[in-house]
């Protein structure tokens, strides 16, 4: 099944994009967390500048957004998107389960990803660096791999690596207890610094040691936009967009924190609305051209 619009992200930008697209009678898929943006869930103080919702907390705002989604019959698909490919007249969204979702247009609303790629990460992507354990673990059956976990939600993929690979070095980049069923998964509290190699990645360097591995799996809650979408124009951690929220890739739009500062709920929602209207216009134009 191919959707008209795939929206990635369930913060204010993604939710507004989904609502506007739905109102404009487009067949959409909204991908993200049913708990919505973590950024909203942790805000317990009143937000004073959101029009129509005076003095509500982030949690209360999330509850209001959820009710509106339910009223419009918009469901959230909980999938992790590891890569988005421009396929000419449509986009292919690869999930961590190694499935492909097809859409004529895509709206990126994944928020801002803090930090920057590791040294060597971009150089060795596809040559000993992977963002998807489910997709690429079979390539390293019986091998030694490293796994950098950006959050506790990544532990399931690390567990799967342990079932396939001979040895897994797991580097959690978050606090809290970490344990695995597999005895071949070693938890190491060190900070990855660089990925080195020749024709392919061979070594993960941390702030304390070096580890010889056949592959380094980098599992983040969300990827940097340049890694998520090959060929996407970015500046720092932000996607380059025009006033219509268009990116350099026809049919791809971006809104919210991923499009740069200021990081404000009201700004994100407004950009989500613009991105959706632009995506609707793009699809309608394609249909008219196809009919000529």
């Amino acid at each position: 099944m191919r959707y008209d619009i795939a929206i990635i992200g369930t913060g204010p930008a993604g939710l507004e994009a989904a609502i506007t697209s739905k109102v404009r009678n487009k067949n959409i898929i909204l991908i993200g967390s049913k708990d919505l943006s973590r950024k909203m869930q942790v805000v317990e103080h009143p937000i004073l500048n959101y029009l129509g919702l005076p003095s509500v907390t982030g949690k209360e705002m999330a509850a209001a957004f959820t009710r509106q989604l339910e009223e419009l019959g918009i469901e959230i698909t909980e999938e992790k998107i590891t890569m988005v490919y421009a396929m000419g007249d449509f986009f292919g969204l690869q999930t961590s389960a190694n499935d492909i979702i097809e859409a004529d247009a895509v709206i990126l609303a994944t928020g801002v990803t803090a930090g920057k790629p590791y040294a060597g990460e971009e150089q060795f992507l596809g040559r000993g660096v992977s963002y998807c354990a489910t997709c690429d673990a079979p390539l390293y059956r019986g091998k030694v791999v490293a796994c950098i976990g950006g959050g506790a939600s990544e532990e399931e993929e690390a567990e799967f690596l342990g079932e396939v690979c001979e040895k897994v070095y797991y580097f959690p980049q978050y606090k809290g207890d970490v344990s695995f069923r597999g005895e071949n998964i070693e938890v190491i509290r060190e900070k990855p610094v660089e990925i080195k190699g020749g024709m392919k990645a061979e070594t993960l360097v941390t702030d304390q040691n070096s580890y010889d591995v056949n592959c380094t799996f980098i599992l983040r809650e969300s990827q940097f936009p340049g890694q998520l979408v090959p060929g996407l124009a970015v500046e720092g951690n932000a996607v380059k967009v025009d006033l219509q929220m268009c990116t350099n890739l026809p049919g791809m739009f971006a809104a919210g924190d991923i499009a740069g500062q200021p990081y404000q709920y009201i700004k994100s929602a407004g950009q989500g609305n613009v991105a959706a209207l632009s995506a609707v216009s793009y699809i309608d134009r394609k249909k008219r051209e196809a009919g000529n």
Side-chain angles (χ1 to χ4, degrees), residues 3-9 18 26-32 74-77 79 81 93 101-103 105 107:
Y3 297 91
D4 291 327
I5 304 173
I7 301 146
I8 310 174
K26 297 307 176 189
N27 179 25
I28 69 169
I29 180 169
L30 175 60
I31 303 166
I74 298 174
E75 297 183 355
I76 295 173
T77 299
E79 290 279 6
I81 303 301
L93 290 71
I101 297 169
E102 294 184 358
I107 297 175

Side-chain angles (χ1 to χ4, degrees), residues 246-279:
C246 302
T247 72
N248 65 306
L249 301 177
M252 177 164 287
F253 310 86
D257 289 356
I258 195 174
Q261 296 181 331
Y263 302 141
Q264 296 277 311
Y265 295 136
I266 191 71
K267 168 259 193 181
S268 294
Q271 287 188 341
N273 173 260
V274 174
L277 293 174
S278 295

Side-chain angles (χ1 to χ4, degrees), residues 130-204:
S130 173
Y131 297 142
C132 180
T134 305
C135 309
D136 294 336
L139 300 175
Y140 299 96
R141 186 175 300 276
K143 304 293 185 179
V144 178
V145 302
C147 180
I148 303 171
S153 59
E154 316 301 342
E155 293 173 14
E156 183 177 346
E157 284 199 71
E159 194 82 69
F160 173 66
L161 284 172
E163 296 174 2
V164 176
C165 303
E166 177 185 347
K167 175 77 175 181
V168 179
Y169 298 112
Y170 185 72
F171 299 86
Q173 302 303 293
Y174 53 93
K175 297 180 180 179
D177 294 334
V178 179
S179 61
F180 295 101
R181 296 188 304 273
E183 296 182 356
N184 61 333
I185 305 176
E186 181 180 350
V187 178
I188 302 173
R189 291 286 183 180
E190 296 175 8
K191 182 180 178 180
V193 174
E194 184 177 5
I195 299 166
K196 293 184 175 182
M199 293 298 294
K200 62 182 184 63
E202 298 168 341
T203 305
L204 174 64

